[in-house]
Structure formats: C-alpha cells, structure tokens
Amino acid sequence: MPERYDVITMGRIGVDLYPLQTGLPLARVESFGKFLGGSPSNVAVAAARLGRRTAVVTRTGRDAFGEYLHHQLREFGVDDRWVTPVDAYPTPVTFCEIFPPDDFPLYFYRQPKAPDLEIHASELDLAAVRTARVFWMTGTGLCAEPSRTATLAALRARDRCGTTVFDLDWRPMFWNIQEDHPEARYREALALATVAVGNLDECEIATGEREPHAAARALIGAGVELAVVKQGPGGVLAVHRDGTVAEVPPLPVEVVNGLGAGDAFGGALCHGLLAGWEITRVMRYANAAGAIVASRLACSSAMPFPYEVEAALTEGAVTSRPTGATPRPSPKPPRDAADAPWSAAADG
C-alpha cells in the first residue's frame, strides 16, 4: 500500500510575475522575476520545506507556463501527479506592485477562466484525499463549477477525518456574488471541515462576525474544531472547541513583501498540527514562518526551512538575511493590506 501523504492541498495555481524593483508602479518596473504561485500550491511548498510529504490537486494550461509549474513543484519536493492540463484555457499569471510595508496591489489574469477551476469530481483520487493526514482547500475553489462540486466531493470523502482545513481565502473578484451566494457556499464547506483559517474580512464573509473572538466562536458554531483568526498587526487568535484559547502577538520583522506570508503560515500550521504540538506553540511557529517570508521578496522560493523558523523564534524577531544571500521574490497577496506582514496573515 503506498505511503499516505502528510498534506494534500487543492485549488489555485499560476505563475507570479513579480517586480524586481520595489516602490514602483508596474508602468515603471523594468524587470520581473517568475515564480510558482497560487495559495494552496504554495502551502504545499511551505509544508514540504518543513519536511512533510505533500501533493497538490490542481490544473494548468497545456502551455509553457504549465510546464514551468510542474518543474517548480518537483523542484520544491511537491508531488505533481494530480496537476493536469486543460486545453481550453491558458495558465494564469499574476502581477503585483510592491510598496513596503503594507501595500501590495495584485493583478490577476485568469480570463476567460482559470484551469484550476476546471477540476472535476470524477477525476479526483478520493482514496488519497481521504487518507491524507491533512487536506487543505480554499474559498476560491468554491467560486465556480466544476471546481465547487469537486471541492465539496473531496470534503465529503474526508468525512471530517484527520485534519481538514478550510482556508477562507475570500477573493471577491473571482465570484459572481449575486448568483453564487458565497456565504451559503462557505457555510456548506465549514460543516465539513475541522479547521478554519482566515483574516477578519474572510471571517466576516463566512460568519457575519468581525470581532475576533466572536468570529472564532461563530466558526466553531458552524462546525469546525479549531478556528484561527489572523489579525495582522494584532497577531493571531486560535480557539479550539475544547475551550483552549491562544492569542499570539506578531513577530517583529522589516517587511519586504507581505505577499506569501499567509501561505508560509499555512504550511507551518499543517506542520505543527501534524507534530501534535499544543496550540500556542503551533501559532508561534506559524507566525514566525510567515514573518520570514514577509522579510523576503519571493513566496514559493522564500518558504523557510525548520532551522530558519527556530532561529527566528530563538531571536524573537526576523533579522536581516546574511550578506550575499540571494533575495527571494514573492508570490501571493495579503487579503487585506492591514492584515498581512506583521503576523503572516497575507495570502499566499
């Protein structure tokens, strides 16, 4: 019997084309770096960097950018067997502008439709999804068919076994809000998940609550066992159904690019939960991983190794990279400018 995965993520993938000059609008940027992007794909990379066996379920275009993403996933140690091509649509690209410390506008090119929204339930390896120790899905996966049905099918196959994480991942530009009723879709997924992770905007979409403790209680009321509420400069709040509460302040960091910090947080969250750590330790570790990525230019290639996270925790801050170290470019946006760099609440 094949070895089961520590983490399987499902959803968005694409190419991030990020400026190599900061503090400039795109119209004035002269050079870009090319990186693997897409929040669930980057969460898989982050968990792999921490030593976990990971895979991602997603789709690309049948094009050169799709080939590039396969190469990058393999290079980062992420199994790409469930990354399949779609003939009809190109691999999406995303641009950003970088204005530290808290302004990182994102420009998504996912038209006429992103291939990662063409995941079909009939093509899923539900046995692998069911047996993974952690399954991670996102709100974006619920925004359109057939991805919505496939994502819910994966959640039902899990039947709340192991750790099933719903990254609330609210991207209003991907939704037809009048027709698709995101609040109802979120409620349906929350009832099938065991962990919910989101910032204040995302919690409000999912529950109608914005105050952190009220939002956490509402998420637990919707069905999850653990609610993780990211508050940017306010740190992170985690509340478990058993009454355990952890409130962890942010780790000091000089922000280079807050995009991707949330993906590092997510990968580290998976790692800590798999290790069986108590909740405060998990949140501190995830905060440190996110802060490290916020101190770097990149996202996927910036994901930290365990020794880097431990060093940041020991020092109580993220310090400058060693002289001569290559800067890493970043792919992924803070869901909200006020909610990213300081406590790893950015998207990835």
Short mmCIF file of all heavy atoms in Angstrom, two decimals, residues 41-100:
data_model
loop_
_atom_site.label_atom_id
_atom_site.label_comp_id
_atom_site.label_asym_id
_atom_site.label_seq_id
_atom_site.Cartn_x
_atom_site.Cartn_y
_atom_site.Cartn_z
N SER A 41 -1.08 25.88 -3.63
CA SER A 41 0.17 25.32 -4.14
C SER A 41 1.34 25.76 -3.28
O SER A 41 2.25 24.97 -2.98
CB SER A 41 0.38 25.75 -5.60
OG SER A 41 -0.70 25.31 -6.41
N ASN A 42 1.34 27.00 -2.86
CA ASN A 42 2.41 27.50 -2.01
C ASN A 42 2.35 26.92 -0.60
O ASN A 42 3.38 26.74 0.05
CB ASN A 42 2.37 29.03 -1.96
CG ASN A 42 2.95 29.64 -3.22
OD1 ASN A 42 3.88 29.12 -3.80
ND2 ASN A 42 2.38 30.75 -3.64
N VAL A 43 1.15 26.63 -0.11
CA VAL A 43 1.04 25.96 1.19
C VAL A 43 1.70 24.58 1.12
O VAL A 43 2.40 24.16 2.04
CB VAL A 43 -0.43 25.85 1.62
CG1 VAL A 43 -0.59 24.90 2.82
CG2 VAL A 43 -0.99 27.22 1.98
N ALA A 44 1.49 23.88 0.00
CA ALA A 44 2.15 22.58 -0.19
C ALA A 44 3.67 22.74 -0.20
O ALA A 44 4.39 21.92 0.39
CB ALA A 44 1.66 21.92 -1.48
N VAL A 45 4.17 23.77 -0.87
CA VAL A 45 5.61 24.03 -0.88
C VAL A 45 6.11 24.31 0.54
O VAL A 45 7.14 23.79 0.97
CB VAL A 45 5.94 25.21 -1.82
CG1 VAL A 45 7.40 25.63 -1.66
CG2 VAL A 45 5.65 24.85 -3.27
N ALA A 46 5.36 25.14 1.27
CA ALA A 46 5.78 25.51 2.63
C ALA A 46 5.86 24.28 3.52
O ALA A 46 6.81 24.13 4.30
CB ALA A 46 4.80 26.53 3.21
N ALA A 47 4.88 23.39 3.43
CA ALA A 47 4.89 22.19 4.25
C ALA A 47 6.02 21.25 3.83
O ALA A 47 6.66 20.61 4.67
CB ALA A 47 3.54 21.48 4.16
N ALA A 48 6.29 21.18 2.52
CA ALA A 48 7.40 20.35 2.04
C ALA A 48 8.74 20.86 2.56
O ALA A 48 9.61 20.06 2.93
CB ALA A 48 7.40 20.31 0.51
N ARG A 49 8.90 22.17 2.61
CA ARG A 49 10.14 22.75 3.15
C ARG A 49 10.36 22.35 4.60
O ARG A 49 11.49 22.28 5.08
CB ARG A 49 10.09 24.28 3.04
CG ARG A 49 10.51 24.82 1.67
CD ARG A 49 12.02 24.93 1.59
NE ARG A 49 12.48 25.16 0.24
CZ ARG A 49 12.70 26.37 -0.29
NH1 ARG A 49 12.49 27.45 0.44
NH2 ARG A 49 13.16 26.48 -1.52
N LEU A 50 9.27 22.08 5.30
CA LEU A 50 9.36 21.71 6.72
C LEU A 50 9.43 20.19 6.89
O LEU A 50 9.31 19.68 8.00
CB LEU A 50 8.17 22.29 7.47
CG LEU A 50 8.12 23.83 7.49
CD1 LEU A 50 6.82 24.32 8.11
CD2 LEU A 50 9.32 24.42 8.23
N GLY A 51 9.61 19.48 5.77
CA GLY A 51 9.85 18.05 5.84
C GLY A 51 8.65 17.17 5.64
O GLY A 51 8.72 15.95 5.84
N ARG A 52 7.53 17.74 5.22
CA ARG A 52 6.30 16.97 5.07
C ARG A 52 6.14 16.44 3.64
O ARG A 52 6.58 17.08 2.68
CB ARG A 52 5.09 17.82 5.45
CG ARG A 52 5.11 18.28 6.90
CD ARG A 52 5.09 17.11 7.84
NE ARG A 52 5.18 17.51 9.27
CZ ARG A 52 5.10 16.64 10.27
NH1 ARG A 52 4.94 15.34 10.01
NH2 ARG A 52 5.20 17.06 11.51
N ARG A 53 5.53 15.25 3.51
CA ARG A 53 5.24 14.68 2.20
C ARG A 53 3.95 15.31 1.68
O ARG A 53 2.88 15.13 2.26
CB ARG A 53 5.07 13.16 2.31
CG ARG A 53 4.84 12.47 0.96
CD ARG A 53 4.91 10.95 1.08
NE ARG A 53 4.85 10.35 -0.25
CZ ARG A 53 3.82 9.65 -0.71
NH1 ARG A 53 2.77 9.43 0.07
NH2 ARG A 53 3.84 9.15 -1.93
N THR A 54 4.06 16.07 0.60
CA THR A 54 2.93 16.89 0.15
C THR A 54 2.61 16.65 -1.32
O THR A 54 3.45 16.21 -2.11
CB THR A 54 3.20 18.39 0.36
OG1 THR A 54 4.20 18.83 -0.56
CG2 THR A 54 3.66 18.68 1.78
N ALA A 55 1.38 16.98 -1.68
CA ALA A 55 0.92 16.94 -3.06
C ALA A 55 -0.12 18.02 -3.24
O ALA A 55 -0.71 18.49 -2.26
CB ALA A 55 0.34 15.57 -3.41
N VAL A 56 -0.36 18.39 -4.49
CA VAL A 56 -1.38 19.39 -4.78
C VAL A 56 -2.29 18.87 -5.89
O VAL A 56 -1.83 18.20 -6.82
CB VAL A 56 -0.74 20.75 -5.17
CG1 VAL A 56 0.12 20.65 -6.41
CG2 VAL A 56 -1.81 21.83 -5.36
N VAL A 57 -3.58 19.16 -5.75
CA VAL A 57 -4.58 18.82 -6.77
C VAL A 57 -4.96 20.12 -7.46
O VAL A 57 -5.57 21.01 -6.84
CB VAL A 57 -5.82 18.17 -6.13
CG1 VAL A 57 -6.86 17.85 -7.21
CG2 VAL A 57 -5.45 16.93 -5.35
N THR A 58 -4.63 20.25 -8.74
CA THR A 58 -4.92 21.49 -9.45
C THR A 58 -4.79 21.24 -10.95
O THR A 58 -4.53 20.10 -11.38
CB THR A 58 -3.99 22.62 -8.99
OG1 THR A 58 -4.45 23.87 -9.55
CG2 THR A 58 -2.54 22.40 -9.39
N ARG A 59 -4.96 22.29 -11.75
CA ARG A 59 -4.85 22.17 -13.20
C ARG A 59 -4.17 23.41 -13.77
O ARG A 59 -4.33 24.52 -13.24
CB ARG A 59 -6.22 21.96 -13.86
CG ARG A 59 -7.02 20.81 -13.27
CD ARG A 59 -8.16 20.37 -14.16
NE ARG A 59 -7.66 19.65 -15.33
CZ ARG A 59 -8.44 19.16 -16.29
NH1 ARG A 59 -9.76 19.34 -16.23
NH2 ARG A 59 -7.92 18.51 -17.31
N THR A 60 -3.44 23.20 -14.85
CA THR A 60 -2.77 24.29 -15.55
C THR A 60 -3.25 24.31 -17.00
O THR A 60 -3.98 23.42 -17.43
CB THR A 60 -1.24 24.09 -15.56
OG1 THR A 60 -0.92 22.98 -16.43
CG2 THR A 60 -0.70 23.83 -14.17
N GLY A 61 -2.79 25.30 -17.76
CA GLY A 61 -2.97 25.24 -19.20
C GLY A 61 -1.98 24.24 -19.79
O GLY A 61 -1.01 23.84 -19.14
N ARG A 62 -2.25 23.81 -21.02
CA ARG A 62 -1.29 22.96 -21.73
C ARG A 62 -0.33 23.88 -22.48
O ARG A 62 -0.42 24.06 -23.70
CB ARG A 62 -2.02 22.00 -22.68
CG ARG A 62 -1.12 20.87 -23.20
CD ARG A 62 -1.87 20.01 -24.20
NE ARG A 62 -2.98 19.27 -23.62
CZ ARG A 62 -2.87 18.09 -23.01
NH1 ARG A 62 -1.68 17.52 -22.90
NH2 ARG A 62 -3.94 17.48 -22.52
N ASP A 63 0.58 24.49 -21.74
CA ASP A 63 1.44 25.51 -22.33
C ASP A 63 2.77 25.56 -21.58
O ASP A 63 3.00 24.81 -20.62
CB ASP A 63 0.75 26.88 -22.30
CG ASP A 63 0.19 27.26 -20.92
OD1 ASP A 63 0.75 26.80 -19.90
OD2 ASP A 63 -0.79 28.02 -20.85
N ALA A 64 3.64 26.46 -22.00
CA ALA A 64 4.97 26.53 -21.40
C ALA A 64 4.92 26.91 -19.93
O ALA A 64 5.72 26.42 -19.12
CB ALA A 64 5.83 27.53 -22.18
N PHE A 65 4.00 27.79 -19.55
CA PHE A 65 3.87 28.15 -18.14
C PHE A 65 3.42 26.95 -17.32
O PHE A 65 3.83 26.78 -16.17
CB PHE A 65 2.91 29.32 -17.96
CG PHE A 65 3.54 30.67 -18.19
CD1 PHE A 65 2.75 31.76 -18.53
CD2 PHE A 65 4.90 30.86 -18.04
CE1 PHE A 65 3.31 33.03 -18.72
CE2 PHE A 65 5.48 32.11 -18.23
CZ PHE A 65 4.69 33.20 -18.57
N GLY A 66 2.56 26.12 -17.90
CA GLY A 66 2.15 24.90 -17.20
C GLY A 66 3.34 23.98 -16.98
O GLY A 66 3.51 23.40 -15.89
N GLU A 67 4.19 23.84 -17.98
CA GLU A 67 5.41 23.03 -17.83
C GLU A 67 6.30 23.60 -16.74
O GLU A 67 6.90 22.85 -15.94
CB GLU A 67 6.16 22.98 -19.16
CG GLU A 67 5.44 22.23 -20.27
CD GLU A 67 6.18 22.32 -21.59
OE1 GLU A 67 7.36 22.72 -21.58
OE2 GLU A 67 5.57 21.98 -22.63
N TYR A 68 6.41 24.91 -16.71
CA TYR A 68 7.23 25.56 -15.68
C TYR A 68 6.72 25.22 -14.28
O TYR A 68 7.50 24.92 -13.37
CB TYR A 68 7.21 27.07 -15.91
CG TYR A 68 7.71 27.87 -14.74
CD1 TYR A 68 9.06 27.96 -14.45
CD2 TYR A 68 6.81 28.54 -13.90
CE1 TYR A 68 9.52 28.69 -13.36
CE2 TYR A 68 7.26 29.27 -12.82
CZ TYR A 68 8.61 29.35 -12.56
OH TYR A 68 9.05 30.07 -11.47
N LEU A 69 5.41 25.25 -14.10
CA LEU A 69 4.84 24.98 -12.77
C LEU A 69 5.09 23.53 -12.35
O LEU A 69 5.40 23.26 -11.18
CB LEU A 69 3.35 25.29 -12.76
CG LEU A 69 3.02 26.78 -12.93
CD1 LEU A 69 1.51 26.99 -13.06
CD2 LEU A 69 3.57 27.61 -11.77
N HIS A 70 4.99 22.59 -13.28
CA HIS A 70 5.34 21.21 -12.96
C HIS A 70 6.80 21.12 -12.49
O HIS A 70 7.10 20.47 -11.49
CB HIS A 70 5.14 20.31 -14.18
CG HIS A 70 3.74 19.82 -14.36
ND1 HIS A 70 3.22 18.78 -13.64
CD2 HIS A 70 2.76 20.25 -15.19
CE1 HIS A 70 1.97 18.56 -14.02
NE2 HIS A 70 1.66 19.45 -14.96
N HIS A 71 7.66 21.78 -13.22
CA HIS A 71 9.09 21.74 -12.85
C HIS A 71 9.31 22.33 -11.47
O HIS A 71 10.06 21.77 -10.65
CB HIS A 71 9.90 22.52 -13.90
CG HIS A 71 11.35 22.62 -13.58
ND1 HIS A 71 11.90 23.68 -12.87
CD2 HIS A 71 12.38 21.80 -13.86
CE1 HIS A 71 13.19 23.50 -12.72
NE2 HIS A 71 13.52 22.37 -13.31
N GLN A 72 8.66 23.44 -11.19
CA GLN A 72 8.84 24.08 -9.89
C GLN A 72 8.31 23.21 -8.75
O GLN A 72 8.95 23.08 -7.71
CB GLN A 72 8.13 25.44 -9.88
CG GLN A 72 8.85 26.50 -10.70
CD GLN A 72 10.18 26.87 -10.06
OE1 GLN A 72 10.24 27.59 -9.07
NE2 GLN A 72 11.26 26.38 -10.63
N LEU A 73 7.13 22.63 -8.92
CA LEU A 73 6.59 21.77 -7.88
C LEU A 73 7.55 20.63 -7.56
O LEU A 73 7.84 20.33 -6.40
CB LEU A 73 5.23 21.21 -8.30
CG LEU A 73 4.06 22.21 -8.31
CD1 LEU A 73 2.85 21.61 -9.00
CD2 LEU A 73 3.70 22.65 -6.89
N ARG A 74 8.07 19.99 -8.61
CA ARG A 74 9.01 18.88 -8.38
C ARG A 74 10.27 19.36 -7.69
O ARG A 74 10.79 18.70 -6.78
CB ARG A 74 9.35 18.23 -9.71
CG ARG A 74 8.18 17.52 -10.38
CD ARG A 74 8.55 17.06 -11.78
NE ARG A 74 7.36 16.65 -12.52
CZ ARG A 74 7.23 16.80 -13.84
NH1 ARG A 74 8.20 17.36 -14.56
NH2 ARG A 74 6.13 16.39 -14.44
N GLU A 75 10.75 20.52 -8.11
CA GLU A 75 11.98 21.06 -7.51
C GLU A 75 11.78 21.34 -6.02
O GLU A 75 12.70 21.17 -5.22
CB GLU A 75 12.39 22.34 -8.24
CG GLU A 75 13.75 22.85 -7.84
CD GLU A 75 14.21 23.97 -8.74
OE1 GLU A 75 13.88 25.14 -8.45
OE2 GLU A 75 14.89 23.69 -9.75
N PHE A 76 10.58 21.75 -5.65
CA PHE A 76 10.28 22.04 -4.25
C PHE A 76 9.87 20.79 -3.46
O PHE A 76 9.57 20.88 -2.27
CB PHE A 76 9.17 23.08 -4.14
CG PHE A 76 9.57 24.46 -4.57
CD1 PHE A 76 8.79 25.19 -5.45
CD2 PHE A 76 10.73 25.05 -4.08
CE1 PHE A 76 9.16 26.47 -5.84
CE2 PHE A 76 11.10 26.33 -4.46
CZ PHE A 76 10.32 27.04 -5.35
N GLY A 77 9.83 19.65 -4.12
CA GLY A 77 9.50 18.41 -3.42
C GLY A 77 8.02 18.16 -3.25
O GLY A 77 7.61 17.40 -2.37
N VAL A 78 7.19 18.79 -4.10
CA VAL A 78 5.74 18.60 -4.05
C VAL A 78 5.33 17.64 -5.17
O VAL A 78 5.68 17.85 -6.33
CB VAL A 78 5.00 19.94 -4.20
CG1 VAL A 78 3.49 19.73 -4.21
CG2 VAL A 78 5.40 20.90 -3.09
N ASP A 79 4.58 16.61 -4.84
CA ASP A 79 4.12 15.64 -5.82
C ASP A 79 3.13 16.31 -6.77
O ASP A 79 2.14 16.91 -6.33
CB ASP A 79 3.46 14.46 -5.10
CG ASP A 79 3.26 13.24 -5.99
OD1 ASP A 79 3.02 13.42 -7.20
OD2 ASP A 79 3.34 12.12 -5.47
N ASP A 80 3.38 16.21 -8.08
CA ASP A 80 2.54 16.89 -9.07
C ASP A 80 1.69 15.91 -9.87
O ASP A 80 1.19 16.25 -10.94
CB ASP A 80 3.41 17.73 -10.01
CG ASP A 80 4.34 16.87 -10.87
OD1 ASP A 80 4.56 15.68 -10.53
OD2 ASP A 80 4.86 17.38 -11.89
N ARG A 81 1.49 14.70 -9.36
CA ARG A 81 0.76 13.69 -10.14
C ARG A 81 -0.68 14.09 -10.42
O ARG A 81 -1.29 13.62 -11.38
CB ARG A 81 0.80 12.34 -9.43
CG ARG A 81 -0.04 12.25 -8.15
CD ARG A 81 0.10 10.89 -7.49
NE ARG A 81 1.48 10.64 -7.11
CZ ARG A 81 1.93 9.43 -6.76
NH1 ARG A 81 1.12 8.39 -6.77
NH2 ARG A 81 3.18 9.28 -6.39
N TRP A 82 -1.27 14.94 -9.57
CA TRP A 82 -2.66 15.37 -9.76
C TRP A 82 -2.75 16.79 -10.31
O TRP A 82 -3.75 17.47 -10.13
CB TRP A 82 -3.44 15.23 -8.46
CG TRP A 82 -3.49 13.82 -7.97
CD1 TRP A 82 -3.96 12.73 -8.66
CD2 TRP A 82 -3.07 13.33 -6.71
NE1 TRP A 82 -3.84 11.59 -7.91
CE2 TRP A 82 -3.30 11.93 -6.69
CE3 TRP A 82 -2.51 13.93 -5.57
CZ2 TRP A 82 -2.99 11.13 -5.59
CZ3 TRP A 82 -2.21 13.13 -4.48
CH2 TRP A 82 -2.44 11.75 -4.50
N VAL A 83 -1.70 17.21 -11.00
CA VAL A 83 -1.70 18.50 -11.70
C VAL A 83 -1.84 18.19 -13.18
O VAL A 83 -0.91 17.70 -13.81
CB VAL A 83 -0.41 19.30 -11.43
CG1 VAL A 83 -0.46 20.65 -12.13
CG2 VAL A 83 -0.21 19.47 -9.93
N THR A 84 -3.01 18.45 -13.73
CA THR A 84 -3.32 18.01 -15.09
C THR A 84 -3.61 19.20 -16.00
O THR A 84 -4.03 20.26 -15.54
CB THR A 84 -4.53 17.05 -15.08
OG1 THR A 84 -5.66 17.72 -14.48
CG2 THR A 84 -4.22 15.79 -14.29
N PRO A 85 -3.40 19.03 -17.33
CA PRO A 85 -3.58 20.16 -18.25
C PRO A 85 -5.03 20.33 -18.71
O PRO A 85 -5.81 19.37 -18.76
CB PRO A 85 -2.68 19.78 -19.43
CG PRO A 85 -2.72 18.28 -19.44
CD PRO A 85 -2.81 17.86 -17.99
N VAL A 86 -5.36 21.56 -19.03
CA VAL A 86 -6.65 21.91 -19.64
C VAL A 86 -6.34 22.55 -20.99
O VAL A 86 -5.59 23.53 -21.06
CB VAL A 86 -7.43 22.91 -18.76
CG1 VAL A 86 -8.71 23.35 -19.45
CG2 VAL A 86 -7.74 22.29 -17.41
N ASP A 87 -6.88 21.99 -22.05
CA ASP A 87 -6.58 22.50 -23.38
C ASP A 87 -7.19 23.88 -23.64
O ASP A 87 -6.61 24.70 -24.36
CB ASP A 87 -7.08 21.53 -24.45
CG ASP A 87 -6.28 20.23 -24.48
OD1 ASP A 87 -5.06 20.28 -24.21
OD2 ASP A 87 -6.88 19.18 -24.74
N ALA A 88 -8.34 24.14 -23.06
CA ALA A 88 -9.13 25.32 -23.45
C ALA A 88 -8.62 26.63 -22.87
O ALA A 88 -8.91 27.70 -23.42
CB ALA A 88 -10.58 25.11 -23.03
N TYR A 89 -7.87 26.58 -21.75
CA TYR A 89 -7.54 27.82 -21.05
C TYR A 89 -6.03 27.92 -20.77
O TYR A 89 -5.39 26.91 -20.47
CB TYR A 89 -8.29 27.90 -19.72
CG TYR A 89 -9.78 27.78 -19.86
CD1 TYR A 89 -10.46 26.75 -19.23
CD2 TYR A 89 -10.51 28.70 -20.63
CE1 TYR A 89 -11.84 26.62 -19.36
CE2 TYR A 89 -11.88 28.57 -20.77
CZ TYR A 89 -12.54 27.53 -20.13
OH TYR A 89 -13.90 27.41 -20.27
N PRO A 90 -5.49 29.12 -20.84
CA PRO A 90 -4.06 29.30 -20.55
C PRO A 90 -3.77 29.27 -19.05
O PRO A 90 -4.65 29.58 -18.22
CB PRO A 90 -3.76 30.68 -21.13
CG PRO A 90 -5.06 31.43 -21.02
CD PRO A 90 -6.13 30.39 -21.25
N THR A 91 -2.56 28.91 -18.70
CA THR A 91 -2.12 29.01 -17.32
C THR A 91 -2.20 30.46 -16.88
O THR A 91 -1.70 31.36 -17.56
CB THR A 91 -0.67 28.51 -17.19
OG1 THR A 91 -0.61 27.15 -17.62
CG2 THR A 91 -0.17 28.62 -15.77
N PRO A 92 -2.82 30.75 -15.74
CA PRO A 92 -2.97 32.15 -15.31
C PRO A 92 -1.66 32.75 -14.82
O PRO A 92 -0.75 32.04 -14.36
CB PRO A 92 -3.99 32.07 -14.18
CG PRO A 92 -3.93 30.68 -13.69
CD PRO A 92 -3.52 29.82 -14.84
N VAL A 93 -1.57 34.07 -14.93
CA VAL A 93 -0.44 34.80 -14.38
C VAL A 93 -0.96 35.89 -13.45
O VAL A 93 -2.11 36.35 -13.58
CB VAL A 93 0.45 35.43 -15.48
CG1 VAL A 93 1.05 34.36 -16.36
CG2 VAL A 93 -0.34 36.45 -16.31
N THR A 94 -0.13 36.28 -12.51
CA THR A 94 -0.47 37.32 -11.55
C THR A 94 0.69 38.29 -11.43
O THR A 94 1.85 37.87 -11.31
CB THR A 94 -0.76 36.71 -10.16
OG1 THR A 94 -1.83 35.76 -10.27
CG2 THR A 94 -1.15 37.79 -9.15
N PHE A 95 0.40 39.57 -11.49
CA PHE A 95 1.39 40.62 -11.25
C PHE A 95 1.09 41.29 -9.91
O PHE A 95 -0.05 41.29 -9.45
CB PHE A 95 1.33 41.69 -12.34
CG PHE A 95 1.82 41.24 -13.69
CD1 PHE A 95 0.96 40.61 -14.58
CD2 PHE A 95 3.13 41.46 -14.08
CE1 PHE A 95 1.39 40.20 -15.82
CE2 PHE A 95 3.58 41.06 -15.33
CZ PHE A 95 2.71 40.42 -16.21
N CYS A 96 2.11 41.87 -9.31
CA CYS A 96 1.86 42.68 -8.13
C CYS A 96 2.75 43.92 -8.18
O CYS A 96 3.70 44.00 -8.96
CB CYS A 96 2.11 41.91 -6.84
SG CYS A 96 3.83 41.85 -6.32
N GLU A 97 2.41 44.88 -7.36
CA GLU A 97 3.27 46.03 -7.09
C GLU A 97 3.73 45.92 -5.64
O GLU A 97 2.98 45.41 -4.79
CB GLU A 97 2.53 47.35 -7.33
CG GLU A 97 2.15 47.54 -8.79
CD GLU A 97 1.26 48.76 -9.00
OE1 GLU A 97 0.37 49.00 -8.16
OE2 GLU A 97 1.46 49.46 -10.01
N ILE A 98 4.92 46.36 -5.35
CA ILE A 98 5.50 46.19 -4.02
C ILE A 98 5.82 47.54 -3.42
O ILE A 98 6.77 48.22 -3.84
CB ILE A 98 6.76 45.31 -4.09
CG1 ILE A 98 6.40 43.93 -4.68
CG2 ILE A 98 7.38 45.14 -2.70
CD1 ILE A 98 7.60 43.02 -4.88
N PHE A 99 4.99 47.94 -2.46
CA PHE A 99 5.19 49.19 -1.73
C PHE A 99 5.24 48.86 -0.24
O PHE A 99 4.22 48.93 0.46
CB PHE A 99 4.07 50.18 -2.01
CG PHE A 99 3.99 50.62 -3.45
CD1 PHE A 99 3.04 50.07 -4.30
CD2 PHE A 99 4.85 51.58 -3.95
CE1 PHE A 99 2.96 50.46 -5.63
CE2 PHE A 99 4.77 51.99 -5.28
CZ PHE A 99 3.83 51.43 -6.12
N PRO A 100 6.42 48.45 0.27
CA PRO A 100 6.51 48.10 1.69
C PRO A 100 6.16 49.31 2.56
O PRO A 100 6.38 50.45 2.13
CB PRO A 100 7.98 47.71 1.86
CG PRO A 100 8.47 47.42 0.47
CD PRO A 100 7.69 48.32 -0.43
#
